[in-house]
Amino acid sequence: MSDTQSRLPLALIALATSLALIVFTQPLTTLAVMTADLSLTPGQQAWVMSGMPLGAASGLLTAGAFGDTLGRRRTFVAGLWITAVASIVAALAWSGPMLIVMRIVQGIGSAGIMASGLGLVGQIYRGEAQARAAAVWAAALGSGVALGPIMASLLLPVGGWPAMHWLIAGLSAALALGSARLPESPHTGERVDLRGAALLTVGMACVMAALIEVRVGGAVLVAGLVLVGVLCLGAFLMWERRVRNPILRIDLFRAPAFSGATLAAFASGAGVLALMSMVPIVLEHGMGVSPFHAALILLAWSGVTIFSALGARFLPAALTARQRVILAILGCALGQGLMLMAVTGAGWAVVLPGLFVAGVSNGILNASLGHEAVRTVPEDRAAMGSAMNNTARYLGSALGIALISVLIAGRDGAAFFASWHDAVLVSTGLSLLGVAVMTGVAARHRIAAVLHRS
């Protein structure tokens, strides 16, 4: 395979991955206009923001199962077409509920892109080339987060908030056509576990919906969603131990590398991703910065993440994958802690040190997790590894955003920044807790291995 041929698959996968994150972040600078045009209630605003991650988290493991069983390229391309169609309908939406449903469908399409995209990276590239490709994939995550809010705000004068959905539809269709020539993965010939897929999707959707409704819903509704979600997920775990071709191989969690990567992804979502996603609110609500300028300031995190992910492969080879992940999360926790500098009367520049430190650390973390997600599972389950990693990330971010939103909701002035400081401490604590649990899991496995040998 020539250099050009070897780069084309990675370019397509990286662009599609970036597009999935653009879909995720584009409401950051268009929500106010959508609210005015569609008369969105506060609850509907929360659902517009959270609909895409709900669809993604609910569908990632199912998409991974389809990719490993029916073909990763087929699932990847299908995800792009689903995103394209959902974006067209979203652009034509005349009501809040219609837009929310399409945001959820966009998330389902993105699930196919992200689960099978990283699976294709694991399939096409080997050895050092795989590590470099995983770094590019991780950089694509950062580029999507950076570009989404800026592109959406620039298109507002051109065609209002629907313009961004039209652009996403066109890009998705173009990438789907280009990706049709990607190499297909071997078909296992196994039947897809549809019962497991249904239990997982309903369970994940209820848990994610409960996290969203914590901000705007009643206690009875939240409790009901949690109960149904827990029951479905419990039934899913029991079923997966019996079925021949499981969506999620429970035995993989016995391996410290796989369980550690999953825990790290969850800690990343609940910690640095959740907190940095809320920084534009601090800039706009607390410091009077415009949405467009808030998106530009956020580049000190998301833009730095891109270059940090690409440079992660130059770290000392003596560092193990687990050590890189732990150091990266600790760096993210430091960056989160620096966000305590945001106080009443301070200018927007006080957030830059925290954004920069978190950006450097988060890029290294994304690259390390991307590599571990496909390295720690059997070759024929690469999409499953990718899907589990991204599911943990989305679940963590939903939990973190829900907690932060509850803390800062309805606050103004000094009370707002006092609540923001509480949110920073909670977020930083979640990152540090992730490191502690990862270290404990690894220590337990080492002790068990020593006892087994003796």
Side-chain angles (χ1 to χ4, degrees):
M1 184 183 294
S2 68
D3 286 346
T4 302
Q5 290 174 318
S6 65
R7 290 171 184 164
L8 180 59
L10 181 57
L12 291 168
I13 294 166
L15 286 171
T17 301
S18 181
L19 183 63
L21 271 296
I22 287 172
V23 173
F24 176 46
T25 57
Q26 58 98 3
L28 288 175
T29 47
T30 57
L31 185 62
V33 179
M34 287 189 286
T35 298
D37 285 357
L38 301 177
S39 301
L40 300 178
T41 65
Q44 288 174 336
Q45 292 175 47
W47 274 95
V48 168
M49 289 293 296
S50 303
M52 185 274 182
L54 186 153
S58 301
L60 272 162
L61 279 168
T62 301
F66 276 101
D68 288 333
T69 303
L70 302 179
R72 293 169 198 146
R73 183 194 66 195
R74 183 181 300 179
T75 306
F76 182 76
V77 172
L80 285 164
W81 282 121
I82 291 171
T83 302
V85 173
S87 298
I88 291 173
V89 180
L92 298 172
W94 58 80
S95 68
M98 183 178 179
L99 178 62
I100 290 165
V101 170
M102 288 305 104
R103 286 284 293 163
I104 294 172
V105 178
Q106 283 179 327
I108 293 172
S110 296
I113 295 168
M114 298 188 71
S116 292
L118 190 54
L120 283 167
V121 167
Q123 165 194 323
I124 297 170
Y125 302 97
R126 293 288 185 270
E128 181 61 27
Q130 186 181 96
R132 289 196 298 269
V136 172
W137 180 86
L141 294 176
S143 70
V145 174
L147 292 172
I150 295 173
M151 292 169 64
S153 63
L154 290 175
L155 285 174
L156 278 176
V158 178
W161 63 265
M164 191 62 189
H165 289 288
W166 287 116
L167 178 61
I168 291 169
L171 292 174
S172 297
L175 286 168
L177 292 172
S179 300
R181 300 185 64 180
L182 288 174
E184 184 57 283
S185 59
H187 296 190
T188 64
E190 299 274 2
R191 292 181 59 184
V192 177
D193 176 19
L194 295 179
R195 181 181 298 183
L199 287 170
L200 175 67
T201 301
V202 173
M204 292 288 292
C206 287
V207 170
M208 291 287 290
L211 291 173
I212 297 168
E213 288 294 325
V214 160
R215 289 171 272 177
V216 294
V220 174
L221 175 59
V222 172
L225 288 169
V226 170
L227 178 62
V228 174
V230 169
L231 289 175
C232 286
L233 291 176
F236 166 76
L237 292 175
M238 289 189 290
W239 173 253
E240 293 303 283
R241 295 180 183 275
R242 298 165 47 196
V243 71
R244 180 176 177 178
N245 182 34
I247 286 177
L248 177 62
R249 280 180 45 183
I250 308 301
D251 63 296
L252 289 174
F253 287 97
R254 297 173 187 166
F258 180 80
S259 58
T262 304
L263 284 168
F266 183 85
S268 166
V272 66
L273 288 180
L275 189 69
M276 296 306 160
S277 296
M278 304 300 284
V279 167
I281 293 177
V282 176
L283 293 170
E284 295 168 33
H285 184 73
M287 299 180 179
V289 177
S290 70
F292 174 70
H293 287 101
L296 289 180
I297 294 167
L298 196 63
L299 285 174
W301 170 62
S302 55
V304 169
T305 295
I306 302 171
F307 299 102
S308 177
L310 292 172
R313 60 192 179 94
F314 297 110
L315 289 172
L319 287 174
T320 67
R322 188 174 67 85
Q323 289 170 338
R324 292 186 186 202
V325 168
I326 289 175
L327 289 174
I329 296 179
L330 289 174
C332 288
L334 174 60
Q336 292 164 245
L338 289 173
M339 300 308 292
L340 291 170
M341 296 169 64
V343 295
T344 306
W348 58 264
V350 299
V351 303
L352 292 180
L355 290 173
F356 181 79
V357 172
V360 172
S361 304
N362 196 52
I364 295 171
L365 181 61
N366 285 343
S368 302
L369 287 179
H371 190 212
E372 287 294 283
V374 296
R375 190 189 67 83
T376 57
V377 296
E379 186 175 321
D380 63 339
R381 295 295 185 180
M384 178 190 291
S386 168
M388 187 63 242
N389 199 268
N390 284 297
T391 298
R393 197 190 308 259
Y394 275 115
L395 270 179
S397 64
L399 172 63
I401 289 172
L403 288 173
I404 295 169
S405 297
V406 168
L407 287 170
I408 66 175
R411 308 293 199 278
D412 292 297
F416 173 82
F417 283 101
S419 299
W420 170 250
H421 291 167
D422 292 338
V424 170
L425 294 174
V426 170
S427 167
T428 306
L430 288 171
S431 292
L432 295 175
L433 179 62
V435 171
V437 173
M438 281 182 64
T439 305
V441 168
R444 188 185 69 179
H445 278 279
R446 284 197 300 271
I447 293 171
V450 171
L451 293 174
H452 179 74
R453 287 195 297 268
S454 61

